[in-house]
């Protein structure tokens, strides 16, 4: 059964029901007026009128009991010509709202009632002629009802598909936001981790140099203040992006690697950089290379303070880009250096590269990555 039968009647439904009632009553009265009162008993003539009016009134309830009223109409039209149009409308209602099997049963019952009508009313035309005239009318009515049903089904299917597509698009947008926020969280870890490592280096220098001059202490304090201020600015920027519906942090580029190394050198970290990568590096690969260098410097300052750091970035289009960051590993330190390296491994895999890290036979800690660089 069509679910539209159980919903509240709309303004359009009221208009359609009113038109159906007026059409059935008007045509029914015309047919009743054309009856030959002398050819049928008076009681049958009166029953025809009463039954026809009742069937016309039943059209107001056809949305509640469509099949039941269609069955009653089929039996009533055995003797009532006034209710014929109402019976047609009730049959069409069943065709619109019910499956084909139910529609065919109601249609067959109505065709039988037409045959019985020719016998009960003793029409001048033979029964076969009455059927030949009536069957096309019922077939046309039922066909129109089936067309309306198929069109409604198609529209409902298209509407459901549109709603489903809208839901899927909304879910994909939400997943995109989650991925963006996850990327922002990684950026926050990398940026703030590096800034705080620089702060730790300068603070450690002040702690181990009690004999430093006033100018040196003031210079180190100024660097600490400037780095702390920059870290707070980075944190505010990250929080602002996280509060927005969708956004991205300003992304570093491969060309920022020398500036990154210079910042570490100003902090007192002995860093040696070998950079040989001529050509235009893809943006996403360059950003990954920058993060690898940044994470290597951060880990070196955190786990091996004061030790020299060697950075080697070499590559060319078609051969790929190799990034190596190594520093002496203090004895007793574990090889695993936290979640940052796991994040870098994922970053390298996302650009179809690979990353390795661990102790070398010489006792150094080495972070090595290969990233694709298309020709």
């Amino acid at each position: 059964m069509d679910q539209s039968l159980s919903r509240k009647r709309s303004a359009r439904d009221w208009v359609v029901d009113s038109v159906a009632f007026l059409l059935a009553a008007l045509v029914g009265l015309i047919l009743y007026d054309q009856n030959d009162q002398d050819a049928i008993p008076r009681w049958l003539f009166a029953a025809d009128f009463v039954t026809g009016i009742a069937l016309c009134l039943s059209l107001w309830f056809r949305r509640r009991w469509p099949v039941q009223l269609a069955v009653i109409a089929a039996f009533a039209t055995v003797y009532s010509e006034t209710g014929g149009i109402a019976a047609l409308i009730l049959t069409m209602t069943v065709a619109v709202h019910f499956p084909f099997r139910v529609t065919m049963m109601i249609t067959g019952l109505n065709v039988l009632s037409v045959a019985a009508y020719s016998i009960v009313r003793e029409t001048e035309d033979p029964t076969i002629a009455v059927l030949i005239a009536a069957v096309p009318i019922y077939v046309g009515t039922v066909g129109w009802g089936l067309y309306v049903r198929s069109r409604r089904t198609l529209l409902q299917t298209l509407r459901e598909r549109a709603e489903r597509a809208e839901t899927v698009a909304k879910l994909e947008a939400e997943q995109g936001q989650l991925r963006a926020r996850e990327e922002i969280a990684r950026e926050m870890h990398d940026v703030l981790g590096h800034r705080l490592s620089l702060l730790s280096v300068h603070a450690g220098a002040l702690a181990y140099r009690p004999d430093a001059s006033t100018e040196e202490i003031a210079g180190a304090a100024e660097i600490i203040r400037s780095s702390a201020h920059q870290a707070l600015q980075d944190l505010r920027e990250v929080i602002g992006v996280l509060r927005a519906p969708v956004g991205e942090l300003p992304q570093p580029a491969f060309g920022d690697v020398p500036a990154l190394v210079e910042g570490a050198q100003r902090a007192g970290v002995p860093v040696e950089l070998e950079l040989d990568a001529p050509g235009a590096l893809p943006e996403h690969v360059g950003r990954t290379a920058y993060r690898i260098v940044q994470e290597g410097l951060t880990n070196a300052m955190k786990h091996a303070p004061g030790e020299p750091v060697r950075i080697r970035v070499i590559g060319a289009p078609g051969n790929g880009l190799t990034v190596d960051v190594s520093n002496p590993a203090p004895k007793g330190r574990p090889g695993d250096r936290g979640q940052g390296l796991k994040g870098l491994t994922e970053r390298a895999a996302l650009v179809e590269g690979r990353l390795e890290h661990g102790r070398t036979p010489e006792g150094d800690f080495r972070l090595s990555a290969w990233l694709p660089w298309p020709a």
Side-chain angles (χ1 to χ4, degrees), residues 18-94:
S18 300
V19 172
F21 170 76
L22 293 175
L23 177 64
L26 180 61
V27 177
L29 292 175
I30 293 174
L31 294 175
Y32 174 78
D33 187 61
Q34 292 178 351
N35 280 329
D36 187 2
Q37 300 183 19
D38 297 331
I40 58 176
R42 293 185 61 85
W43 66 269
L44 185 57
F45 191 71
D48 183 354
F49 177 80
V50 173
T51 303
I53 295 301
L55 289 178
C56 291
L57 291 173
S58 71
L59 294 177
W60 291 103
F61 306 96
R62 65 192 178 94
R63 300 179 187 277
R64 183 174 299 180
W65 303 295
V67 175
Q68 296 88 329
L69 291 176
V71 171
I72 293 173
F75 284 104
T77 51
V78 169
Y79 63 89
S80 176
E81 189 173 357
T82 308
I85 300 300
L88 279 174
I89 294 176
L90 290 171
T91 303
M92 181 178 174
T93 302
V94 173

Side-chain angles (χ1 to χ4, degrees), residues 160-178:
E160 290 176 355
R161 287 182 180 178
E163 292 175 353
R164 192 180 304 115
E166 184 178 353
T167 302
V168 170
K170 184 178 180 180
L171 290 176
E172 289 178 349
E174 292 176 353
Q175 291 174 357
Q177 289 184 359
L178 290 177

